[in-house]
Amino acid sequence: MNPKTIAKTRADPEKGARAGRKNFRAAILAAGACLGLLLAFLSPPAFAERIKDLASVQGVRSNQLIGYGLVAGLDNSGDQTTQTPFTTQSIINMLSNLGTNLPIEQARNLQLKNVAAVMVTATLPPYARQGQTIDVTVASIGNAKSLRGGALLMTPLKGADGEIYAMAQGNILIAGIGASSGGNKAQINHLSAGRITDGATVERAVPAPLGHGPYVYYETKQTDFGTAQRIVDVINRSIGPGVAEALDGRQIRVRAPEDPDARVRLLGRVENLEIQTPQSLAKVVVNPRTGSVVMNQNVTIENCAVAHGSLSVSIGNTPQVEQPAPFSGGQTTVVQQTNIQIKQEGSTLVSLEKGANLADIVKALNAMGANPQDLLAILQAMKAAGALRAELEII
């Protein structure tokens, strides 16, 4: 303080005390702000997600449809009817339904290279009404070489109850292309399956009741008591106290009005509410068929040592010609000589340091020179040893 302020404080002790208390409160507020910022940096990050991304309304679901049909118009790339008798029988039945009856002898000798038997699948979305269109997927079940350029003939699509819910027909879109000649073949992508956009028309709607009585039930995609409680808190804070309650770690009951328009309005408001979720769980997903290994950024490892060796067995056949002795009357024969080689590459014990982020994990595994197929065995062993701090899922 300057001399004038000191003099004023001595002249007015009460005023000086008030100034001191004011300065003290300002210091406390500043310290609290600094502490809040520090806690914000130290606390785990939270993410805002909508309720519709974490939970779905019970009973509002899609349904799978399937059907058997024929694809016509192929360029000599259809089924070989001698090896796929069901294709021939399907054509005979279809022609009979259309008023064309073939003699039995002619029907048995049909050689159709432009037709293929296929399975047609589709997903019927919830609340789909009669007349709406959905996409369908067409896949060959015979020995057709390609479905490129083909057209799906009218095919009924049935549900699990055996009822027809849609009719499919249209030109198939194939993403691949191929050609073959003289024993040589070139192909890009897959030719035995394709898709028809808006290829099916809905003929029957599936009833989907929106709740039971005065309640609508939400089901979270994963069982998590913390997430269920946070959803309940957000709904009650935004809509009103007592509107939502958690029945368990997966199901949430929400009180909704009986009027359909008011109920839809409420659910539209609820599903767009955002909740603060903690950082996602550490998870490693492995696909052993393709060798794909995917980790999220929360995966960590503890200090461990890993040794992984590879054993390879090579079997080869070498043809050798044996000539008979002169004037023996024998015949020249070809004998297969089998060579078996077993190699085991030496493996060294690699020490993996504790990793705090995904980059450290990838760097440590790459240091071992492990390919994606080897990673499956390594990750399983690390999980069993308690060194992998993540959930391991094999798909």
Side-chain angles (χ1 to χ4, degrees), residues 120-122 132-138 150 152 167-175 194-201:
V120 185
T121 57
Q132 294 181 344
T133 57
I134 56 177
D135 298 343
V136 298
T137 300
V138 182
L152 175 69
M167 298 295 294
Q169 183 170 279
N171 297 322
I172 306 174
L173 177 62
I174 303 294
R195 194 168 181 85
I196 306 177
T197 303
D198 295 334
T201 303

Side-chain angles (χ1 to χ4, degrees), residues 177-252:
I177 189 173
S180 61
S181 177
N184 298 323
K185 180 179 179 181
Q187 178 175 324
I188 300 176
N189 295 334
H190 201 61
L191 303 177
S192 299
R195 194 168 181 85
I196 306 177
T197 303
D198 295 334
T201 303
V202 178
E203 301 293 340
R204 184 196 300 263
V206 178
L210 192 59
H212 305 281
Y215 297 102
V216 174
Y217 296 86
Y218 277 88
E219 294 179 345
T220 60
K221 296 181 180 180
Q222 295 182 348
T223 301
D224 191 333
F225 292 94
T227 300
Q229 186 59 47
R230 282 189 290 271
I231 292 176
V232 170
D233 294 340
V234 170
I235 294 176
N236 290 335
R237 185 167 57 250
S238 302
I239 309 299
V243 174
E245 58 179 338
L247 302 182
D248 50 38
R250 198 178 187 95
Q251 193 175 52
I252 300 167

